[in-house]
Amino acid sequence: MENKFRIAEVNRLPRDTLTDLLGQCVAVGRWARELADGRPYPGVGELLARADDVSASLTDAELARALADHPRIGGRIAAGSRSAAEQSGVDTDRLAGRLAGANAAYEARFGHIYLVCAAGRSGDELLADLRARMANDPVTELGVVRRELGRIAHLRLAELITA
């Protein structure tokens, strides 16, 4: 997602082109289609608000699809990737063992990867958050995952659009 688009360009892009572009923010087809079909947007704020609404409505199955597209916190990530930039505050050398163990415990408890909006957060913060979320029941945790995915989608979409 190196190109940035003005809202007027977003409003003019062919539906399939925009849907493919939005799919780079969240790997859920309905999310991208609903945003594309909601055009025209008068401004970036309205597009982001619609993205937040659609993110909040994701089903458990859609969450599972989106989770399959995300790397583990502190895991191996392709250099230069969006996820690598988002997790740049994670000191994987120092925390690798603790993050791997905490990720494994989380996955055993909840049946999916730990998802968090990592942008601007340190590895110590993320490890503390992961450990705190272990106290959640599965239904509460799915709600947290849905909100975190929404935050990631919002951030990525905002990076795609210029004001």
Side-chain angles (χ1 to χ4, degrees):
M1 274 197 304
E2 294 176 17
N3 295 330
K4 287 192 156 257
F5 296 86
R6 296 189 180 284
I7 196 68
E9 294 171 304
V10 169
N11 287 330
R12 286 192 308 264
L13 284 172
R15 181 182 188 265
D16 289 345
T17 302
L18 181 57
T19 301
D20 289 346
L21 190 64
L22 293 170
Q24 296 174 34
C25 296
V26 177
V28 176
R30 180 178 66 86
W31 186 88
R33 288 188 303 275
E34 285 197 25
L35 290 183
D37 291 345
R39 296 177 297 168
Y41 294 100
V44 176
E46 291 82 3
L47 173 59
L48 292 171
R50 180 68 183 138
D52 292 344
D53 290 344
V54 177
S55 294
S57 76
L58 294 177
T59 67
D60 293 353
E62 289 169 329
L63 279 177
R65 271 196 301 281
L67 289 173
D69 192 50
H70 281 271
R72 284 177 181 82
I73 293 293
R76 292 193 186 272
I77 303 171
S81 72
R82 183 174 45 250
S83 292
E86 292 167 354
Q87 291 190 35
S88 63
V90 179
D91 181 355
T92 53
D93 291 337
R94 185 176 59 81
L95 296 174
R98 287 186 284 169
L99 281 168
N103 277 321
Y106 179 96
E107 290 173 30
R109 173 154 168 67
F110 296 111
H112 55 79
I113 68 163
Y114 164 69
L115 183 78
V116 65
C117 185
R121 298 177 72 185
S122 72
D124 290 318
E125 287 177 272
L126 297 174
L127 185 57
D129 179 70
L130 188 159
R131 289 177 173 158
R133 284 171 51 184
M134 289 292 287
N136 289 340
D137 62 83
V139 172
T140 299
E141 184 56 21
L142 268 182
V144 174
V145 169
R146 189 174 282 106
R147 283 190 303 277
E148 291 296 317
L149 182 64
R151 291 177 64 207
I152 293 166
H154 186 105
L155 177 71
R156 290 178 176 182
L157 183 57
E159 290 173 353
L160 180 66
I161 308 297
T162 61

